[in-house]
Short mmCIF file of all heavy atoms in Angstrom, two decimals:
data_model
loop_
_atom_site.label_atom_id
_atom_site.label_comp_id
_atom_site.label_asym_id
_atom_site.label_seq_id
_atom_site.Cartn_x
_atom_site.Cartn_y
_atom_site.Cartn_z
N MET A 972 18.29 -37.80 -30.34
CA MET A 972 19.69 -38.32 -30.04
C MET A 972 19.72 -39.81 -30.30
O MET A 972 18.79 -40.51 -29.95
CB MET A 972 20.04 -37.95 -28.57
CG MET A 972 21.57 -38.18 -28.35
SD MET A 972 21.95 -38.01 -26.58
CE MET A 972 22.10 -36.28 -26.40
N ASP A 973 20.85 -40.26 -30.72
CA ASP A 973 21.10 -41.69 -30.93
C ASP A 973 21.03 -42.45 -29.59
O ASP A 973 21.67 -42.01 -28.64
CB ASP A 973 22.40 -41.93 -31.67
CG ASP A 973 22.64 -43.38 -31.99
OD1 ASP A 973 21.84 -43.88 -32.85
OD2 ASP A 973 23.57 -43.98 -31.45
N SER A 974 20.34 -43.58 -29.51
CA SER A 974 20.10 -44.19 -28.23
C SER A 974 21.39 -44.80 -27.73
O SER A 974 21.61 -44.83 -26.48
CB SER A 974 18.96 -45.26 -28.36
OG SER A 974 19.42 -46.24 -29.26
N THR A 975 22.34 -45.25 -28.61
CA THR A 975 23.54 -45.85 -28.10
C THR A 975 24.34 -44.75 -27.48
O THR A 975 25.00 -44.93 -26.43
CB THR A 975 24.28 -46.45 -29.31
OG1 THR A 975 23.43 -47.24 -30.01
CG2 THR A 975 25.53 -47.25 -28.84
N LEU A 976 24.38 -43.59 -28.11
CA LEU A 976 25.14 -42.47 -27.59
C LEU A 976 24.58 -41.99 -26.18
O LEU A 976 25.30 -41.75 -25.29
CB LEU A 976 25.08 -41.28 -28.59
CG LEU A 976 26.03 -40.11 -28.18
CD1 LEU A 976 27.49 -40.47 -28.41
CD2 LEU A 976 25.73 -38.89 -29.12
N ALA A 977 23.29 -42.02 -26.20
CA ALA A 977 22.65 -41.64 -24.90
C ALA A 977 22.99 -42.59 -23.84
O ALA A 977 23.34 -42.17 -22.65
CB ALA A 977 21.07 -41.58 -25.11
N ALA A 978 22.99 -43.93 -24.15
CA ALA A 978 23.32 -44.89 -23.12
C ALA A 978 24.76 -44.75 -22.67
O ALA A 978 25.07 -44.92 -21.48
CB ALA A 978 23.12 -46.32 -23.74
N MET A 979 25.67 -44.47 -23.62
CA MET A 979 27.08 -44.25 -23.30
C MET A 979 27.22 -43.04 -22.37
O MET A 979 28.05 -43.07 -21.41
CB MET A 979 27.91 -44.13 -24.53
CG MET A 979 28.35 -45.38 -25.20
SD MET A 979 29.09 -45.06 -26.81
CE MET A 979 30.58 -44.22 -26.36
N LEU A 980 26.47 -42.04 -22.65
CA LEU A 980 26.57 -40.81 -21.88
C LEU A 980 26.10 -41.07 -20.46
O LEU A 980 26.73 -40.70 -19.51
CB LEU A 980 25.67 -39.70 -22.56
CG LEU A 980 26.08 -38.26 -22.33
CD1 LEU A 980 27.37 -38.00 -22.93
CD2 LEU A 980 25.03 -37.36 -22.89
N VAL A 981 24.97 -41.79 -20.33
CA VAL A 981 24.50 -42.09 -19.03
C VAL A 981 25.43 -43.01 -18.23
O VAL A 981 25.68 -42.77 -17.01
CB VAL A 981 23.10 -42.81 -19.16
CG1 VAL A 981 22.66 -43.37 -17.81
CG2 VAL A 981 21.99 -41.84 -19.67
N GLY A 982 26.01 -43.91 -18.92
CA GLY A 982 26.99 -44.79 -18.31
C GLY A 982 28.15 -43.99 -17.84
O GLY A 982 28.67 -44.24 -16.75
N GLY A 983 28.68 -43.13 -18.58
CA GLY A 983 29.78 -42.29 -18.22
C GLY A 983 29.51 -41.43 -17.01
O GLY A 983 30.35 -41.33 -16.08
N VAL A 984 28.31 -40.82 -17.04
CA VAL A 984 27.98 -39.99 -15.93
C VAL A 984 27.82 -40.77 -14.66
O VAL A 984 28.23 -40.41 -13.55
CB VAL A 984 26.64 -39.20 -16.19
CG1 VAL A 984 26.10 -38.52 -14.94
CG2 VAL A 984 26.89 -38.15 -17.29
N ALA A 985 27.21 -41.93 -14.70
CA ALA A 985 27.00 -42.81 -13.60
C ALA A 985 28.39 -43.29 -13.10
O ALA A 985 28.59 -43.27 -11.83
CB ALA A 985 26.19 -44.06 -14.02
N THR A 986 29.29 -43.62 -13.98
CA THR A 986 30.64 -44.03 -13.45
C THR A 986 31.33 -42.94 -12.78
O THR A 986 31.93 -43.10 -11.70
CB THR A 986 31.48 -44.47 -14.75
OG1 THR A 986 30.76 -45.47 -15.43
CG2 THR A 986 32.83 -45.07 -14.27
N ALA A 987 31.21 -41.76 -13.28
CA ALA A 987 31.93 -40.59 -12.64
C ALA A 987 31.25 -40.37 -11.32
O ALA A 987 31.93 -40.05 -10.33
CB ALA A 987 31.71 -39.34 -13.57
N ALA A 988 29.99 -40.46 -11.18
CA ALA A 988 29.23 -40.27 -9.92
C ALA A 988 29.75 -41.21 -8.86
O ALA A 988 29.95 -40.91 -7.72
CB ALA A 988 27.75 -40.33 -10.12
N VAL A 989 29.86 -42.50 -9.34
CA VAL A 989 30.32 -43.54 -8.40
C VAL A 989 31.72 -43.33 -7.89
O VAL A 989 32.06 -43.37 -6.74
CB VAL A 989 30.21 -44.91 -9.02
CG1 VAL A 989 30.89 -46.00 -8.18
CG2 VAL A 989 28.73 -45.35 -9.23
N LEU A 990 32.58 -42.92 -8.81
CA LEU A 990 33.94 -42.66 -8.50
C LEU A 990 34.04 -41.40 -7.54
O LEU A 990 34.78 -41.53 -6.55
CB LEU A 990 34.79 -42.36 -9.73
CG LEU A 990 35.11 -43.50 -10.61
CD1 LEU A 990 35.91 -43.07 -11.83
CD2 LEU A 990 35.92 -44.55 -9.91
N LEU A 991 33.26 -40.46 -7.75
CA LEU A 991 33.20 -39.30 -6.97
C LEU A 991 32.76 -39.63 -5.52
O LEU A 991 33.28 -39.19 -4.50
CB LEU A 991 32.36 -38.24 -7.56
CG LEU A 991 32.48 -36.80 -7.01
CD1 LEU A 991 33.81 -36.23 -7.33
CD2 LEU A 991 31.34 -35.90 -7.54
N PHE A 992 31.74 -40.48 -5.54
CA PHE A 992 31.11 -40.95 -4.27
C PHE A 992 32.18 -41.62 -3.39
O PHE A 992 32.38 -41.41 -2.21
CB PHE A 992 29.99 -41.85 -4.51
CG PHE A 992 29.37 -42.48 -3.26
CD1 PHE A 992 28.62 -41.71 -2.42
CD2 PHE A 992 29.67 -43.73 -2.93
CE1 PHE A 992 28.09 -42.25 -1.27
CE2 PHE A 992 29.14 -44.32 -1.72
CZ PHE A 992 28.31 -43.60 -0.89
N PHE A 993 32.95 -42.55 -4.05
CA PHE A 993 34.02 -43.29 -3.28
C PHE A 993 35.08 -42.31 -2.87
O PHE A 993 35.67 -42.43 -1.75
CB PHE A 993 34.59 -44.34 -4.22
CG PHE A 993 33.81 -45.59 -4.07
CD1 PHE A 993 33.07 -46.09 -5.19
CD2 PHE A 993 33.74 -46.35 -2.94
CE1 PHE A 993 32.36 -47.20 -5.18
CE2 PHE A 993 33.03 -47.46 -2.89
CZ PHE A 993 32.33 -47.96 -3.99
N ALA A 994 35.43 -41.32 -3.63
CA ALA A 994 36.44 -40.37 -3.34
C ALA A 994 36.05 -39.49 -2.10
O ALA A 994 36.81 -39.24 -1.20
CB ALA A 994 36.82 -39.54 -4.47
N MET A 995 34.77 -39.19 -2.08
CA MET A 995 34.27 -38.32 -1.05
C MET A 995 34.06 -39.08 0.30
O MET A 995 34.16 -38.51 1.37
CB MET A 995 32.90 -37.72 -1.45
CG MET A 995 33.01 -36.78 -2.66
SD MET A 995 33.93 -35.31 -2.41
CE MET A 995 32.77 -34.30 -1.66
N SER A 996 33.71 -40.37 0.16
CA SER A 996 33.27 -41.13 1.39
C SER A 996 34.45 -41.81 2.06
O SER A 996 34.21 -42.67 2.96
CB SER A 996 32.15 -42.06 0.96
OG SER A 996 32.72 -43.10 0.10
N ARG A 997 35.59 -41.58 1.57
CA ARG A 997 36.72 -42.30 2.22
C ARG A 997 36.94 -41.80 3.61
O ARG A 997 37.09 -40.63 3.89
CB ARG A 997 38.03 -42.04 1.42
CG ARG A 997 38.22 -43.10 0.34
CD ARG A 997 39.37 -42.81 -0.48
NE ARG A 997 40.63 -43.16 0.17
CZ ARG A 997 41.80 -43.05 -0.35
NH1 ARG A 997 41.87 -42.64 -1.63
NH2 ARG A 997 42.89 -43.37 0.29
N LYS A 998 36.98 -42.71 4.57
CA LYS A 998 37.14 -42.35 5.93
C LYS A 998 38.61 -42.12 6.21
O LYS A 998 39.51 -42.67 5.53
CB LYS A 998 36.71 -43.46 6.83
CG LYS A 998 35.15 -43.63 6.83
CD LYS A 998 34.80 -44.82 7.70
CE LYS A 998 33.28 -45.09 7.62
NZ LYS A 998 32.94 -46.36 8.09
N PRO A 999 38.87 -41.23 7.10
CA PRO A 999 40.29 -40.91 7.54
C PRO A 999 40.85 -42.30 8.07
O PRO A 999 40.23 -43.00 8.78
CB PRO A 999 40.24 -39.88 8.54
CG PRO A 999 38.80 -39.84 8.99
CD PRO A 999 37.96 -40.39 7.93
N VAL A 1000 42.06 -42.50 7.66
CA VAL A 1000 42.77 -43.71 8.12
C VAL A 1000 43.47 -43.45 9.49
O VAL A 1000 44.04 -42.42 9.65
CB VAL A 1000 43.90 -44.08 7.03
CG1 VAL A 1000 44.78 -45.18 7.60
CG2 VAL A 1000 43.19 -44.53 5.69
N LYS A 1001 43.21 -44.42 10.35
CA LYS A 1001 43.90 -44.36 11.68
C LYS A 1001 44.98 -45.32 11.72
O LYS A 1001 44.89 -46.41 11.24
CB LYS A 1001 42.81 -44.65 12.76
CG LYS A 1001 42.03 -43.45 13.19
CD LYS A 1001 41.27 -43.83 14.44
CE LYS A 1001 40.38 -42.65 14.84
NZ LYS A 1001 39.50 -42.96 15.93
N CYS A 1002 46.05 -44.87 12.33
CA CYS A 1002 47.25 -45.69 12.54
C CYS A 1002 46.85 -46.87 13.42
O CYS A 1002 46.38 -46.67 14.54
CB CYS A 1002 48.37 -44.91 13.14
SG CYS A 1002 49.82 -45.88 13.52
N PRO A 1003 47.07 -48.07 12.97
CA PRO A 1003 46.77 -49.29 13.80
C PRO A 1003 47.73 -49.43 14.97
O PRO A 1003 47.45 -50.13 15.90
CB PRO A 1003 46.84 -50.44 12.82
CG PRO A 1003 47.62 -49.93 11.70
CD PRO A 1003 47.57 -48.49 11.64
N SER A 1004 48.82 -48.70 14.84
CA SER A 1004 49.86 -48.87 15.88
C SER A 1004 49.67 -47.90 17.04
O SER A 1004 49.71 -48.27 18.22
CB SER A 1004 51.23 -48.66 15.20
OG SER A 1004 52.24 -48.88 16.14
N CYS A 1005 49.35 -46.60 16.75
CA CYS A 1005 49.20 -45.63 17.84
C CYS A 1005 47.86 -44.92 17.76
O CYS A 1005 47.56 -44.11 18.72
CB CYS A 1005 50.33 -44.59 17.68
SG CYS A 1005 50.22 -43.46 16.27
N GLY A 1006 47.05 -45.17 16.78
CA GLY A 1006 45.74 -44.70 16.73
C GLY A 1006 45.55 -43.27 16.25
O GLY A 1006 44.50 -42.70 16.21
N ARG A 1007 46.62 -42.72 15.77
CA ARG A 1007 46.55 -41.32 15.26
C ARG A 1007 45.95 -41.26 13.81
O ARG A 1007 46.25 -42.07 13.00
CB ARG A 1007 48.01 -40.80 15.23
CG ARG A 1007 48.09 -39.37 14.73
CD ARG A 1007 49.45 -38.73 15.04
NE ARG A 1007 49.56 -37.45 14.45
CZ ARG A 1007 50.38 -36.52 14.80
NH1 ARG A 1007 51.07 -36.78 15.90
NH2 ARG A 1007 50.47 -35.39 14.23
N GLU A 1008 45.06 -40.30 13.68
CA GLU A 1008 44.42 -40.11 12.40
C GLU A 1008 45.38 -39.54 11.39
O GLU A 1008 46.06 -38.57 11.71
CB GLU A 1008 43.16 -39.26 12.44
CG GLU A 1008 41.90 -39.98 12.50
CD GLU A 1008 40.68 -39.08 12.51
OE1 GLU A 1008 40.70 -38.00 11.93
OE2 GLU A 1008 39.66 -39.47 13.09
N GLN A 1009 45.46 -40.12 10.19
CA GLN A 1009 46.30 -39.57 9.10
C GLN A 1009 45.59 -38.51 8.36
O GLN A 1009 44.40 -38.59 8.04
CB GLN A 1009 46.73 -40.68 8.24
CG GLN A 1009 47.33 -41.90 9.02
CD GLN A 1009 48.50 -41.50 9.90
OE1 GLN A 1009 49.45 -40.81 9.40
NE2 GLN A 1009 48.53 -41.83 11.17
N PRO A 1010 46.30 -37.44 8.05
CA PRO A 1010 45.72 -36.36 7.19
C PRO A 1010 45.29 -36.89 5.83
O PRO A 1010 45.97 -37.75 5.27
CB PRO A 1010 46.76 -35.31 7.15
CG PRO A 1010 48.02 -35.96 7.42
CD PRO A 1010 47.72 -37.15 8.31
N LYS A 1011 44.18 -36.34 5.25
CA LYS A 1011 43.77 -36.78 3.94
C LYS A 1011 44.76 -36.35 2.92
O LYS A 1011 45.02 -37.04 1.96
CB LYS A 1011 42.37 -36.24 3.66
CG LYS A 1011 41.29 -37.20 4.19
CD LYS A 1011 39.94 -36.84 3.56
CE LYS A 1011 38.92 -37.87 3.95
NZ LYS A 1011 37.57 -37.61 3.29
N ALA A 1012 45.15 -35.10 3.06
CA ALA A 1012 46.14 -34.61 2.10
C ALA A 1012 47.50 -35.14 2.51
O ALA A 1012 48.16 -34.55 3.30
CB ALA A 1012 46.15 -33.06 2.06
N ARG A 1013 47.87 -36.19 1.95
CA ARG A 1013 49.12 -36.85 2.35
C ARG A 1013 50.23 -36.46 1.45
O ARG A 1013 50.08 -36.19 0.28
CB ARG A 1013 48.97 -38.40 2.42
CG ARG A 1013 48.73 -38.94 0.99
CD ARG A 1013 48.27 -40.30 1.11
NE ARG A 1013 47.81 -40.75 -0.19
CZ ARG A 1013 48.61 -41.09 -1.18
NH1 ARG A 1013 49.86 -41.11 -1.03
NH2 ARG A 1013 48.05 -41.48 -2.36
N GLN A 1014 51.39 -36.54 2.00
CA GLN A 1014 52.63 -36.26 1.24
C GLN A 1014 53.36 -37.61 1.00
O GLN A 1014 53.93 -38.12 2.00
CB GLN A 1014 53.46 -35.31 2.07
CG GLN A 1014 54.57 -34.60 1.21
CD GLN A 1014 54.10 -33.22 0.91
OE1 GLN A 1014 53.83 -32.42 1.82
NE2 GLN A 1014 54.00 -32.85 -0.36
N PRO A 1015 53.09 -38.18 -0.14
CA PRO A 1015 53.76 -39.43 -0.35
C PRO A 1015 55.30 -39.32 -0.27
O PRO A 1015 55.87 -38.43 -0.83
CB PRO A 1015 53.35 -39.85 -1.77
CG PRO A 1015 52.85 -38.63 -2.45
CD PRO A 1015 52.44 -37.64 -1.31
N ASP A 1016 55.89 -40.26 0.53
CA ASP A 1016 57.30 -40.12 0.66
C ASP A 1016 58.06 -41.20 -0.14
O ASP A 1016 59.29 -41.43 0.12
CB ASP A 1016 57.85 -40.10 2.14
CG ASP A 1016 57.37 -41.24 2.92
OD1 ASP A 1016 57.06 -42.37 2.35
OD2 ASP A 1016 57.41 -41.19 4.15
N SER A 1017 57.35 -41.89 -0.96
CA SER A 1017 58.06 -42.79 -1.94
C SER A 1017 57.20 -42.90 -3.12
O SER A 1017 56.06 -42.61 -3.18
CB SER A 1017 58.28 -44.16 -1.20
OG SER A 1017 57.00 -44.80 -1.07
N LEU A 1018 57.81 -43.36 -4.25
CA LEU A 1018 57.13 -43.53 -5.45
C LEU A 1018 55.92 -44.57 -5.30
O LEU A 1018 54.87 -44.41 -5.82
CB LEU A 1018 58.03 -44.00 -6.53
CG LEU A 1018 57.52 -44.05 -7.99
CD1 LEU A 1018 57.14 -42.64 -8.47
CD2 LEU A 1018 58.51 -44.70 -8.90
N ASN A 1019 56.23 -45.54 -4.49
CA ASN A 1019 55.24 -46.60 -4.26
C ASN A 1019 54.04 -45.97 -3.57
O ASN A 1019 52.88 -46.31 -3.93
CB ASN A 1019 55.89 -47.66 -3.33
CG ASN A 1019 55.17 -48.95 -3.57
OD1 ASN A 1019 54.84 -49.37 -4.63
ND2 ASN A 1019 54.93 -49.68 -2.49
N GLN A 1020 54.22 -45.11 -2.61
CA GLN A 1020 53.06 -44.52 -1.94
C GLN A 1020 52.35 -43.56 -2.87
O GLN A 1020 51.10 -43.48 -2.84
CB GLN A 1020 53.59 -43.66 -0.74
CG GLN A 1020 53.70 -44.51 0.54
CD GLN A 1020 53.90 -43.63 1.73
OE1 GLN A 1020 53.79 -42.41 1.67
NE2 GLN A 1020 54.25 -44.27 2.83
N ALA A 1021 53.06 -42.90 -3.76
CA ALA A 1021 52.43 -41.99 -4.74
C ALA A 1021 51.48 -42.79 -5.66
O ALA A 1021 50.40 -42.37 -6.08
CB ALA A 1021 53.40 -41.25 -5.48
N MET A 1022 51.97 -43.97 -6.05
CA MET A 1022 51.22 -44.82 -6.98
C MET A 1022 50.09 -45.52 -6.33
O MET A 1022 48.95 -45.55 -6.91
CB MET A 1022 52.15 -45.83 -7.59
CG MET A 1022 53.29 -45.22 -8.31
SD MET A 1022 53.24 -45.48 -10.11
CE MET A 1022 52.84 -47.18 -10.39
N TRP A 1023 50.25 -46.07 -5.17
CA TRP A 1023 49.29 -47.01 -4.54
C TRP A 1023 48.56 -46.46 -3.37
O TRP A 1023 47.77 -47.09 -2.83
CB TRP A 1023 49.92 -48.34 -4.23
CG TRP A 1023 50.64 -48.94 -5.40
CD1 TRP A 1023 51.98 -49.07 -5.53
CD2 TRP A 1023 50.08 -49.46 -6.62
NE1 TRP A 1023 52.28 -49.65 -6.75
CE2 TRP A 1023 51.16 -49.91 -7.39
CE3 TRP A 1023 48.74 -49.64 -7.10
CZ2 TRP A 1023 50.92 -50.53 -8.63
CZ3 TRP A 1023 48.50 -50.23 -8.24
CH2 TRP A 1023 49.59 -50.60 -9.05
N GLY A 1024 48.96 -45.27 -2.98
CA GLY A 1024 48.43 -44.76 -1.71
C GLY A 1024 49.20 -45.33 -0.55
O GLY A 1024 50.16 -46.04 -0.76
N GLY A 1025 48.77 -44.91 0.59
CA GLY A 1025 49.46 -45.42 1.78
C GLY A 1025 50.02 -44.22 2.57
O GLY A 1025 50.03 -43.12 2.07
N TYR A 1026 50.30 -44.52 3.78
CA TYR A 1026 50.67 -43.46 4.65
C TYR A 1026 51.93 -43.88 5.53
O TYR A 1026 52.17 -45.06 5.72
CB TYR A 1026 49.58 -43.21 5.68
CG TYR A 1026 48.21 -42.86 5.07
CD1 TYR A 1026 47.44 -43.88 4.64
CD2 TYR A 1026 47.80 -41.57 4.86
CE1 TYR A 1026 46.14 -43.60 4.09
CE2 TYR A 1026 46.59 -41.25 4.24
CZ TYR A 1026 45.78 -42.33 3.90
OH TYR A 1026 44.65 -42.04 3.31
N THR A 1027 52.64 -42.80 5.92
CA THR A 1027 53.60 -43.02 6.95
C THR A 1027 53.10 -42.30 8.16
O THR A 1027 52.77 -41.04 8.06
CB THR A 1027 54.99 -42.48 6.49
OG1 THR A 1027 55.40 -43.14 5.28
CG2 THR A 1027 56.05 -42.71 7.61
N CYS A 1028 52.87 -42.92 9.24
CA CYS A 1028 52.23 -42.31 10.36
C CYS A 1028 52.98 -41.10 10.83
O CYS A 1028 54.20 -41.08 11.02
CB CYS A 1028 52.12 -43.27 11.54
SG CYS A 1028 51.29 -42.57 12.95
N GLN A 1029 52.22 -40.04 11.05
CA GLN A 1029 52.80 -38.78 11.54
C GLN A 1029 53.28 -38.89 12.98
O GLN A 1029 54.14 -38.20 13.43
CB GLN A 1029 51.79 -37.66 11.50
CG GLN A 1029 51.04 -37.48 10.18
CD GLN A 1029 51.99 -36.89 9.08
OE1 GLN A 1029 52.56 -35.84 9.28
NE2 GLN A 1029 52.12 -37.61 8.01
N GLY A 1030 52.65 -39.81 13.74
CA GLY A 1030 52.98 -39.99 15.13
C GLY A 1030 54.10 -40.90 15.41
O GLY A 1030 55.03 -40.50 16.15
N CYS A 1031 54.00 -42.07 14.83
CA CYS A 1031 55.00 -43.14 15.24
C CYS A 1031 55.83 -43.61 14.09
O CYS A 1031 56.75 -44.46 14.32
CB CYS A 1031 54.26 -44.34 15.90
SG CYS A 1031 53.24 -45.29 14.78
N GLY A 1032 55.56 -43.19 12.85
CA GLY A 1032 56.40 -43.49 11.77
C GLY A 1032 56.04 -44.92 11.12
O GLY A 1032 56.75 -45.35 10.22
N ALA A 1033 54.96 -45.51 11.59
CA ALA A 1033 54.61 -46.75 10.99
C ALA A 1033 54.08 -46.66 9.64
O ALA A 1033 53.51 -45.57 9.31
CB ALA A 1033 53.50 -47.49 11.86
N GLU A 1034 54.29 -47.64 8.79
CA GLU A 1034 53.85 -47.52 7.36
C GLU A 1034 52.54 -48.32 7.20
O GLU A 1034 52.38 -49.38 7.67
CB GLU A 1034 54.89 -48.05 6.47
CG GLU A 1034 55.95 -47.06 6.25
CD GLU A 1034 56.89 -47.52 5.09
OE1 GLU A 1034 56.40 -47.68 3.95
OE2 GLU A 1034 58.07 -47.72 5.34
N MET A 1035 51.59 -47.65 6.50
CA MET A 1035 50.32 -48.29 6.23
C MET A 1035 50.05 -48.25 4.76
O MET A 1035 50.59 -47.43 4.03
CB MET A 1035 49.17 -47.54 6.92
CG MET A 1035 49.17 -47.60 8.45
SD MET A 1035 48.37 -46.15 9.07
CE MET A 1035 49.79 -45.04 9.22
N ASP A 1036 49.20 -49.18 4.35
CA ASP A 1036 48.74 -49.05 2.95
C ASP A 1036 47.51 -48.14 2.91
O ASP A 1036 47.20 -47.48 3.91
CB ASP A 1036 48.44 -50.49 2.38
CG ASP A 1036 47.28 -51.15 3.05
OD1 ASP A 1036 46.50 -50.47 3.75
OD2 ASP A 1036 47.06 -52.31 2.83
N ALA A 1037 46.94 -47.98 1.76
CA ALA A 1037 45.85 -47.01 1.61
C ALA A 1037 44.68 -47.25 2.49
O ALA A 1037 43.88 -46.33 2.80
CB ALA A 1037 45.39 -46.93 0.12
N ARG A 1038 44.44 -48.46 2.95
CA ARG A 1038 43.28 -48.79 3.77
C ARG A 1038 43.69 -48.79 5.27
O ARG A 1038 42.88 -49.11 6.10
CB ARG A 1038 42.78 -50.14 3.41
CG ARG A 1038 42.07 -50.15 2.09
CD ARG A 1038 41.67 -51.55 1.72
NE ARG A 1038 41.04 -51.52 0.40
CZ ARG A 1038 40.99 -52.54 -0.41
NH1 ARG A 1038 41.56 -53.71 -0.02
NH2 ARG A 1038 40.39 -52.46 -1.62
N GLY A 1039 44.89 -48.39 5.55
CA GLY A 1039 45.31 -48.28 6.97
C GLY A 1039 45.77 -49.57 7.53
O GLY A 1039 45.82 -49.75 8.78
N LYS A 1040 46.11 -50.52 6.66
CA LYS A 1040 46.68 -51.80 7.20
C LYS A 1040 48.18 -51.59 7.39
O LYS A 1040 48.85 -51.11 6.55
CB LYS A 1040 46.41 -52.93 6.12
CG LYS A 1040 46.39 -54.29 6.78
CD LYS A 1040 46.04 -55.30 5.74
CE LYS A 1040 46.54 -56.64 6.15
NZ LYS A 1040 46.51 -57.63 5.11
N LEU A 1041 48.63 -52.12 8.57
CA LEU A 1041 50.01 -51.93 8.85
C LEU A 1041 50.93 -52.71 8.00
O LEU A 1041 50.72 -53.87 7.70
CB LEU A 1041 50.16 -52.29 10.34
CG LEU A 1041 51.42 -51.80 11.11
CD1 LEU A 1041 51.39 -50.28 11.19
CD2 LEU A 1041 51.47 -52.46 12.47
N LYS A 1042 51.93 -51.98 7.61
CA LYS A 1042 53.01 -52.71 6.79
C LYS A 1042 54.24 -52.86 7.63
O LYS A 1042 54.32 -52.30 8.82
CB LYS A 1042 53.38 -51.89 5.59
CG LYS A 1042 52.34 -51.93 4.51
CD LYS A 1042 52.98 -51.54 3.20
CE LYS A 1042 52.35 -50.36 2.58
NZ LYS A 1042 52.95 -49.93 1.30
N ASN A 1043 55.21 -53.59 7.19
CA ASN A 1043 56.45 -53.76 7.96
C ASN A 1043 57.12 -52.40 8.14
O ASN A 1043 57.22 -51.63 7.23
CB ASN A 1043 57.36 -54.75 7.26
CG ASN A 1043 56.78 -56.09 7.31
OD1 ASN A 1043 56.07 -56.46 8.16
ND2 ASN A 1043 57.17 -56.89 6.26
N LYS A 1044 57.66 -52.18 9.32
CA LYS A 1044 58.47 -51.03 9.55
C LYS A 1044 59.81 -51.16 8.82
O LYS A 1044 60.27 -52.27 8.57
CB LYS A 1044 58.77 -50.89 11.05
CG LYS A 1044 57.67 -50.20 11.73
CD LYS A 1044 58.06 -49.73 13.15
CE LYS A 1044 56.97 -49.03 13.84
NZ LYS A 1044 57.46 -48.49 15.21
N LYS A 1045 60.31 -50.00 8.47
CA LYS A 1045 61.57 -49.97 7.76
C LYS A 1045 62.69 -50.51 8.62
O LYS A 1045 62.72 -50.22 9.83
CB LYS A 1045 61.92 -48.51 7.35
CG LYS A 1045 61.32 -48.18 6.00
CD LYS A 1045 61.66 -46.70 5.68
CE LYS A 1045 60.68 -46.22 4.66
NZ LYS A 1045 60.86 -44.80 4.46
ZN1 ZN B 96 51.23 -44.40 14.42
#
């Protein structure tokens, strides 16, 4: 096999593995306002949430970004 192709293949597999690792190791986000854990399977309620992630708290309705940082309430 061509060594450049092999290197590309290894790089691609490594990248996929890293992405998968990050996807699997994401901790559940807790609402900073009321402490409630947000479900992983979220239902984005705006285009912005669908694009960038983020949650609307099931408990108190506070808005968070994908890392669980509180955003301004509506
Ligand atoms: Zn909350």
